[in-house]
Amino acid sequence: MASDKNMSSLDANLKPEDFQKIGIDEKQAEVIQRESLSAWKDSLERLRQNKMAMTALVVLGLIVLAALIGPLFSKYNYYSNDLVNSNQPPSSEHWFGTDDLGRDIFVRTWYGARISLIVGLAAAAIDLLIGVIYGGIMGFFGGRVDNIMNKISEVLYSIPYLLVVILLLVVMEPSLFTIIVALTITGWITMSWIVRGEIMQLKNREFVLASRSMGAGSKRLLFRHLLPNAVGPIIVTITLSVPNAIFAEAFLSFLGLGVQAPIASLGSMISDSLTGWMYYPWRFLFPAILISLTMLSFNIFGDGLRDALDPKLKK
Amino acid sequence: MGMVRYIANKFFYMIVSLFVLISATFFLMKAIPGDPFTSEKAVPPEIKAHLYEQYGLDKPLYHQYFKYLGDIAQGDLGVSMKRLNQDVTHLIGQTFSASLKLGVVAIIVSVIVGVILGMLAALYHRKFIDSAAMVLAVLGIAVPSFVVASLLQYVFAYKFSIFPVSGFKGPMYYFLPVAALSAQPIAFIARLTRSSMLEVLHADYIKTAKAKGLSWMAILSRHVLRNGILPIVTYMGPMTANIVTGSVVIEQIFGIGGIGKQFVEAISVRDYTLIMGITIFYGILLMVARFITDIAYVLVDPRIKLTGGKEG
């Protein structure tokens, strides 16, 4: 009914003379109107527009910077005891106060942040290495290899993560190295599954077939074609596994299995402060705020990255 | 048919994983230098030999291993190394009730508060309530539970004396530890509920329900909520793990005599049999929780089709 009305108004006014032939300008069809965006640039642009994620990135940058150079601004070090000045509140002398052994909390907080970041980043890096190799093999070869390797990872994954870490550290002497090793012993599995899923999806695509028909070997296919295309989800997984490792280390500190004194991590400082922190809240507050801020920033930035890299997931 | 195979498959994995964990505890314990009877005092060799015989330590390793497996199958986790003549199973049983109460209350609170928060956020999508709930959720996920616990203890127990600082003697003692334990699960559940409810709210069957003139309350309770909380079922396993590991630290902070506190104490005095015993106990608990989650997930959602025995 509505179209009837339209029709009548159309044939009332239009005559053949009203039309003009303009032809096709083939050159115009080829003109690039906008700058071409690669998938990466597009993601980067989306990430840049995400204010929360960018703020988190800046905060993370500042934390890393402060962890690197913060201790240089103080005349104290993280290990010297000064029992006369124990449990001092923040002052111009000790900016964040001192702990029960008179150690300067300002220096220890930044030093601890450094250790926590090292643990988080090193664990994530090792997870990445093992996960990419293991997951790459599973996804690329498929079939029986995949079946067996996947079953092994499934069994390992079923064992609660922190229990494995605790067991290992009870037996090995806790040190920075053994903690990182323990955290990665089953930590790589999630990464391997992500890589496996991505590769399985990618390996049936035309560009892989093209490369294969041109004679590319397995190694070239895997490292030049499949893995580079799976980079997005891998980066997101790393970003979100760093705070997990930082938290796990802090958790271990509560069990006395974290880094051993006088080395400090944010977790061990918080754990040490709990005995008397009603009376000396500064001993707890500074490391607690910093660890929360670090984990918060990693989480927000990781979420932002995921949204930016995978537009399908956008809310 | 597919269902039975699926359950059998998951059950098989659970048993294998449990076996790996138990074997790991055994061999790790053997890897520790010294044995339970190594002490400062020089023990006459005859007595030592007798002790070895009594505990079967004179037998070959494989024999000890099978005996260990057999004992665990019967619920015998051995004898504590530091507390004289105390059964590990008995010690765990003593402290289990406090942890169980705390854990169950924390799970209930997490689900209720999480679902309500997530639902409000979805219903008031892009409004103030939504943003506030999501800020809370991000904080809950990122801020470690021990920081939350210590802050709650400082503000509500120490500064304002509303709740007791520590102990576990009555209803008032539940509030702070439960709040600290459920902070992270609440945040996860709120996020899950929000995103799944947003999806459901735009589904065709909701439009149908509106079109046939159902009241908004009926649509919410009969259609939106029922479908919207499905993903939470998948989170039950991880949530149990979260609350169990969380309780280790929370019990310590609030001085609650549960398994977690005992675990920390066992680690600090290196009571290896007790450590291994609690590890196995936690392992069984969490793996069974995961198993139930896997089963519940397919039972609850009829849309999930099982394809043979191969899962992705």
Side-chain angles (χ1 to χ4, degrees):
Chain A
M1 288 153 263
S3 58
D4 275 357
K5 219 171 158 189
N6 274 342
M7 286 279 267
S8 60
S9 67
L10 273 180
D11 51 33
N13 301 328
L14 291 177
K15 294 177 195 100
E17 300 91 78
D18 291 334
F19 294 93
Q20 184 193 351
K21 192 173 180 185
I22 56 169
I24 300 167
D25 186 356
E26 283 180 7
K27 272 188 202 137
Q28 205 121 58
E30 299 292 316
V31 171
I32 295 167
Q33 299 277 343
R34 250 169 288 164
E35 197 189 339
S36 75
L37 278 178
S38 67
W40 281 110
K41 274 190 194 153
D42 190 36
S43 298
L44 205 67
E45 195 47 47
R46 259 203 303 274
L47 185 63
R48 217 177 274 151
Q49 278 161 11
N50 185 338
K51 285 196 193 100
M52 287 275 279
M54 290 320 281
T55 316
L57 186 62
V58 171
V59 171
L60 275 182
L62 289 177
I63 290 174
V64 171
L65 191 70
L68 287 175
I69 63 168
L72 302 177
F73 289 105
S74 172
K75 57 179 184 266
Y76 300 100
N77 58 40
Y78 70 88
Y79 49 82
S80 292
N81 299 349
D82 179 9
L83 292 173
V84 184
N85 287 315
S86 66
N87 289 324
Q88 291 296 311
S91 62
S92 59
E93 195 60 20
H94 293 279
W95 297 328
F96 286 2
T98 61
D99 68 4
D100 53 341
L101 295 173
R103 295 175 294 201
D104 183 76
I105 291 183
F106 176 81
V107 174
R108 280 179 75 76
T109 302
W110 296 120
Y111 180 79
R114 196 187 295 177
I115 298 293
S116 290
L117 284 170
I118 289 174
V119 170
L121 293 172
I126 297 174
D127 285 351
L128 172 74
L129 190 71
I130 304 176
V132 164
I133 294 175
Y134 197 93
I137 293 174
M138 280 198 290
F140 187 71
F141 292 106
R144 177 169 294 194
V145 177
D146 172 47
N147 205 355
I148 294 171
M149 287 175 80
N150 196 20
K151 284 201 166 118
I152 294 173
S153 63
E154 182 102 6
V155 166
L156 288 177
Y157 186 76
S158 302
I159 306 172
Y161 174 64
L162 280 172
L163 287 186
V164 180
V165 177
I166 291 170
L167 267 185
L168 282 171
L169 286 175
V170 166
V171 178
M172 303 191 290
E173 277 307 304
S175 70
L176 198 56
F177 176 72
T178 52
I179 288 168
I180 293 170
V181 169
L183 286 177
T184 48
I185 205 106
T186 61
W188 53 270
I189 294 175
T190 325
M191 178 62 86
S192 80
W193 287 349
I194 300 268
V195 174
R196 171 180 179 266
E198 284 295 312
I199 296 224
M200 284 198 146
Q201 248 177 32
L202 289 168
K203 76 174 176 188
N204 295 321
R205 298 267 288 273
E206 285 83 358
F207 70 90
V208 179
L209 185 68
S211 179
R212 199 194 290 272
S213 62
M214 282 189 279
S218 301
K219 212 167 123 193
R220 187 182 165 85
L221 279 178
L222 194 56
F223 288 101
R224 296 300 294 269
H225 294 293
L226 296 174
L227 285 177
N229 277 297
V231 157
I234 293 176
I235 293 180
V236 174
T237 314
I238 301 176
T239 324
L240 295 174
S241 74
V242 174
N244 282 345
I246 292 178
F247 170 78
E249 192 280 325
F251 177 82
L252 291 171
S253 296
F254 273 88
L255 306 179
L257 297 172
V259 291
Q260 304 293 303
I263 299 176
S265 74
L266 294 175
S268 72
M269 290 179 71
I270 296 171
S271 156
D272 290 345
S273 75
L274 283 182
T275 44
W277 84 279
M278 310 273 175
Y279 314 104
Y280 322 115
W282 58 89
R283 284 179 52 194
F284 167 84
L285 276 178
F286 294 108
I289 290 172
L290 195 58
I291 198 171
S292 305
L293 204 59
T294 310
M295 292 185 54
L296 196 64
S297 307
F298 269 112
N299 273 304
I300 292 175
F301 182 64
D303 283 350
L305 258 184
R306 180 169 43 201
D307 290 346
L309 287 167
D310 192 350
K312 280 173 289 179
L313 281 175
K314 276 196 97 172
K315 286 163 211 148
Chain B
M1 194 58 215
M3 189 69 200
V4 175
R5 256 188 95 164
Y6 175 81
I7 294 179
N9 192 26
K10 289 285 172 195
F11 189 75
F12 173 74
Y13 272 115
M14 182 178 73
I15 298 297
V16 173
S17 304
L18 210 52
F19 175 75
V20 171
L21 176 67
I22 291 171
S23 305
T25 59
F26 176 81
F27 289 108
L28 282 176
M29 198 136 61
K30 289 292 155 193
I32 299 162
D35 60 56
F37 308 112
T38 311
S39 58
E40 295 91 61
K41 268 192 293 180
V43 181
E46 300 85 41
I47 295 179
K48 208 161 186 175
H50 180 71
L51 280 169
Y52 272 42
E53 206 187 312
Q54 191 185 339
Y55 288 101
L57 293 174
D58 54 341
K59 303 264 169 41
L61 196 64
Y62 73 89
H63 190 278
Q64 292 180 37
Y65 176 57
F66 286 117
K67 186 176 177 298
Y68 183 71
L69 289 182
D71 285 349
I72 288 173
Q74 292 167 30
D76 177 8
L77 292 167
V79 181
S80 163
M81 275 163 125
K82 300 283 166 168
R83 303 194 204 177
L84 209 60
N85 286 329
Q86 292 259 42
D87 247 15
V88 170
T89 314
H90 179 69
L91 284 170
I92 292 176
Q94 262 181 351
T95 45
F96 184 50
S97 79
S99 293
L100 183 70
K101 282 182 211 154
L102 190 64
V104 168
V105 175
I107 287 177
I108 295 171
V109 169
S110 307
V111 172
I112 294 176
V113 178
V115 167
I116 292 178
L117 260 184
M119 202 169 74
L120 286 176
L123 290 178
Y124 296 92
H125 188 40
R126 294 181 204 281
K127 303 253 169 59
F128 173 74
I129 296 179
D130 185 21
S131 343
M134 285 309 106
V135 167
L136 270 181
V138 171
L139 280 177
I141 288 171
V143 179
S145 58
F146 47 83
V147 172
V148 177
S150 310
L151 281 178
L152 288 174
Q153 194 180 34
Y154 186 74
V155 176
F156 293 106
Y158 180 68
K159 278 278 171 210
F160 297 113
S161 313
I162 303 171
F163 300 108
V165 174
S166 70
F168 203 55
K169 295 180 204 106
M172 287 304 270
Y173 290 85
Y174 278 83
F175 282 88
L176 299 182
V178 165
L181 264 184
S182 25
Q184 204 173 25
I186 285 176
F188 266 107
I189 291 177
R191 275 172 89 159
L192 277 176
T193 312
R194 174 179 177 270
S195 62
S196 97
M197 291 227 348
L198 281 178
E199 211 173 282
V200 171
L201 282 170
H202 291 110
D204 289 338
Y205 56 83
I206 299 296
K207 282 188 196 120
T208 313
K210 268 187 212 166
K212 68 181 187 187
L214 274 186
S215 77
W216 186 228
M217 273 320 280
I219 294 177
L220 264 191
S221 61
R222 306 254 338 209
H223 295 287
V224 179
L225 199 57
R226 275 198 196 177
N227 289 293
I229 60 175
L230 276 185
I232 295 168
V233 176
T234 59
Y235 180 62
M236 293 312 270
M239 173 164 70
T240 320
N242 200 319
I243 284 179
V244 166
T245 45
S247 71
V248 173
V249 173
I250 302 297
E251 284 175 13
Q252 183 79 358
I253 290 175
F254 289 101
I256 296 165
I259 299 183
K261 190 154 176 279
Q262 195 168 44
F263 196 37
V264 178
E265 282 161 11
I267 290 172
S268 73
V269 297
R270 292 291 191 276
D271 186 342
Y272 289 111
T273 39
L274 189 54
I275 296 172
M276 300 304 169
I278 296 178
T279 305
I280 292 171
F281 176 78
Y282 274 161
I284 294 174
L285 193 74
L286 298 184
M287 286 181 207
V288 170
R290 223 177 94 103
F291 176 66
I292 294 173
T293 306
D294 285 343
I295 308 277
Y297 181 50
V298 269
L299 285 182
V300 161
D301 193 342
R303 283 171 302 186
I304 296 166
K305 287 204 189 82
L306 296 170
T307 50
K310 170 95 185 136
E311 26 43 287

